[in-house]
Amino acid sequence: MSRFATRGIWCGSVEAGRTKEEVSAFIGRIHDAGFNAVFMHLKGGDGLLYWPSDAFPQATAPGYESFDLPAVALEECRKRGMQFHAWLIDFFEGENGAAYQAHPEWAMTNAKGQPTNTEILRGSRFTGLWMCPARRPGYTDQWLVPILQEFADRYKVDSIHHDYIRYPGDVAPDQYCFCDDCLVNIPKWATYCSESFPNEPFYHELYDRGYLESHWEQSPRVLPQNWDSIGRESQSRFLLEGSFFHGGRYDLDYFFYLYRTHWITEFARLAREAIDPSIAISAAIFKNPVHSGRFIGQDWRQFSPYVDIAIPMDYRDHFPGSFDTYLALLSETISKQKTWARDFKSLLIGVAINFLFFEEDRSASSPDPGKLHAVAEVVANSQTDGIVFFCEGHLHQYSLWNEMQKVLTA
Ligand SMILES: [Zn+2]
């Protein structure tokens, strides 16, 4: 009997093979190591789908029109009594992906109206495309939700697994989205002027309270009178840095961040509505929803009506300090996550294998396996519902299959 009820692993699609025999051997190896849940990558960050999609054949990865990978992998998991989860990337798409090629207007843009692939990250052009979660009609309702629905109708997996259910973080955490749609919709969503009296400033009749902000409840017009003529860059700057009251505190960023968390949570709701109710939903999420709500629009505490299984990515590189510091912070963080995730059906702790070996040569074929055992010990002591490792490829890279089996069966 393992210390972990759920023993999961994220794994690739291409690595799983392209014949029934290859996939059987792949799943068999994972099973023999002691895992009982596979999270297979089936919609990529490049926009490719690893199944023969009827609704979006233009997005199907070459070679997967004729080979039904999820059907075969699901059958191989079922044979062995294992769970099979479909890991699907949400708002991160490739610049050569079918969605962006067909609908460049669905991409997130910054104040200049430029998409994320114009950003520079660590000295190089950022080549990923982030799609706007808010735009309607747009990527969310015309592409992503229908794709998840088709998948769930075809394959009775254990869960549809959200990833990248958020705004971009490493590339400019608060410069998106100011697409043409969001520039119109942020003021509407936040009611920055009345629809019946769009030009009326609605100044307060008294201003008899000590603080200007004390007069908020009559909903004055927030937009400056010259709003329509100041241009998109100035409009964007106002929506991020401006004031609710002319002359008041610079507080519009509060509404900007709420707008973003609203649309991410709204997507989680739409996905739940579209997906066969017999199939659970899981999500890879960041470690602290209070922080990720502000920086990437992911306040995952709000997901609980629409997501069953919370899987925070408690990776070493998401924590500062030495390995021992990581273990201490991990323990502290998981105890908080148990509170944040209390309305979910289950909480699984995500651990990245490669980042455990920060101090060591990353190409080392035999890193200190004690680290794997130490992190597993912390997770086991936390009394959650299980552990999910990232990823299968790292077990090969670091030759850790045998150690992993000891970790999972200890
Ligand atoms: Zn937008």
Side-chain angles (χ1 to χ4, degrees):
M1 177 83 182
S2 171
R3 298 171 289 174
F4 306 105
T6 297
R7 304 175 298 282
I9 188 149
W10 281 287
C11 70
S13 36
V14 174
E15 294 87 331
R18 283 265 292 280
T19 65
K20 189 170 164 49
E21 293 68 33
E22 286 170 356
V23 175
S24 178
F26 181 83
I27 298 293
R29 195 159 50 239
I30 291 173
H31 175 258
D32 293 346
F35 291 103
N36 63 4
V38 170
F39 293 77
M40 187 176 282
H41 183 246
L42 294 167
K43 176 181 182 290
D46 52 7
L48 292 174
L49 309 179
Y50 289 87
W51 71 90
S53 174
D54 294 325
F56 297 89
Q58 70 274 40
T60 296
Y64 291 82
E65 310 89 347
S66 49
F67 179 61
D68 197 337
L69 173 63
V72 174
L74 179 59
E75 188 189 340
E76 293 298 324
C77 282
R78 290 287 178 262
K79 259 191 222 169
R80 297 168 173 87
M82 300 168 80
Q83 300 169 24
F84 184 73
H85 303 261
W87 170 19
L88 307 165
I89 306 289
D90 293 325
F91 291 104
F92 190 57
E93 275 270 330
E95 55 189 358
N96 300 316
Y100 182 62
Q101 292 298 316
H103 292 281
E105 74 281 12
W106 288 352
M108 287 186 196
T109 77
N110 59 21
K112 290 180 160 46
Q114 297 167 331
T116 51
N117 65 346
T118 61
E119 297 277 351
I120 301 295
L121 182 65
R122 300 185 192 101
S124 306
R125 188 175 71 85
F126 183 80
T127 55
L129 239 300
W130 283 86
M131 307 304 270
C132 178
R135 188 183 192 105
R136 301 286 188 276
Y139 175 76
T140 304
D141 63 332
Q142 302 296 307
W143 193 272
L144 181 56
V145 170
I147 280 176
L148 301 185
Q149 182 166 24
E150 179 195 57
F151 188 93
D153 288 344
R154 287 179 68 113
Y155 309 103
K156 297 305 153 196
V157 294
D158 289 281
S159 86
I160 296 292
H161 183 58
H162 291 305
D163 194 7
Y164 290 76
I165 176 168
R166 60 180 180 90
Y167 282 75
D170 50 2
V171 53
D174 43 19
Q175 301 304 314
Y176 295 87
C177 177
F178 295 112
C179 71
D180 292 345
D181 212 54
C182 285
L183 280 182
V184 172
N185 278 327
I186 294 171
K188 278 191 189 166
W189 179 86
T191 317
Y192 286 165
C193 69
S194 157
E195 285 174 29
S196 323
F197 303 93
N199 296 313
E200 176 59 53
F202 286 125
Y203 293 133
H204 203 276
E205 67 278 17
L206 288 174
Y207 292 113
D208 56 343
R209 301 163 188 171
Y211 292 97
L212 187 54
E213 283 79 8
S214 310
H215 305 86
W216 62 273
E217 79 280 12
Q218 289 188 0
S219 303
R221 178 182 161 113
V222 172
L223 298 180
Q225 290 297 326
N226 58 350
W227 178 250
D228 292 331
S229 61
I230 60 175
R232 68 170 358 270
E233 280 187 71
S234 298
Q235 288 182 340
S236 304
R237 183 172 164 196
F238 179 80
L239 293 173
L240 180 59
E241 301 176 15
S243 306
F244 191 87
F245 283 95
H246 308 162
R249 298 187 60 226
Y250 296 119
D251 53 3
L252 291 195
D253 57 351
Y254 169 81
F255 302 97
F256 174 73
Y257 298 130
L258 277 189
Y259 175 82
R260 303 200 320 165
T261 54
H262 167 81
W263 289 109
I264 293 298
T265 303
E266 171 64 8
F267 159 66
R269 189 186 71 78
L270 290 175
R272 177 65 284 177
E273 249 178 23
I275 290 166
D276 177 341
S278 72
I279 295 176
I281 298 184
S282 59
I285 50 185
F286 277 73
K287 74 173 195 279
N288 183 325
V290 182
H291 296 177
S292 57
R294 183 272 186 237
F295 290 100
I296 57 172
Q298 187 190 76
D299 184 350
W300 53 260
R301 294 170 298 178
Q302 300 171 2
F303 294 175
S304 62
Y306 322 117
V307 173
D308 307 284
I309 306 165
I311 313 181
M313 297 174 284
D314 289 347
Y315 301 170
R316 167 91 194 273
D317 67 323
H318 294 194
F319 294 83
S322 68
F323 184 73
D324 287 339
T325 306
Y326 167 54
L327 293 182
L329 290 175
L330 176 62
S331 175
E332 173 188 326
T333 300
I334 295 174
S335 74
K336 288 189 168 190
Q337 288 169 343
K338 288 165 76 169
T339 305
W340 292 322
R342 65 188 164 200
D343 296 326
F344 290 75
K345 292 195 180 72
S346 81
L347 171 66
L348 308 176
I349 303 304
V351 171
I353 296 168
N354 57 333
F355 295 122
L356 296 177
F357 309 116
F358 247 177
E359 289 86 357
E360 301 164 36
D361 176 0
R362 293 192 197 189
S363 62
S365 58
S366 51
D368 174 11
K371 290 183 172 177
L372 194 62
H373 290 276
V375 74
E377 183 81 16
V378 170
V379 176
N381 290 339
S382 72
Q383 307 282 310
T384 54
D385 304 301
I387 193 165
V388 184
F389 284 96
F390 180 85
C391 62
E392 187 267 347
H394 297 157
L395 292 175
H396 291 293
Q397 187 181 342
Y398 296 99
S399 306
L400 286 169
W401 284 98
N402 290 336
E403 289 299 330
M404 183 57 82
Q405 189 182 36
K406 290 181 204 162
V407 163
L408 296 178
T409 56

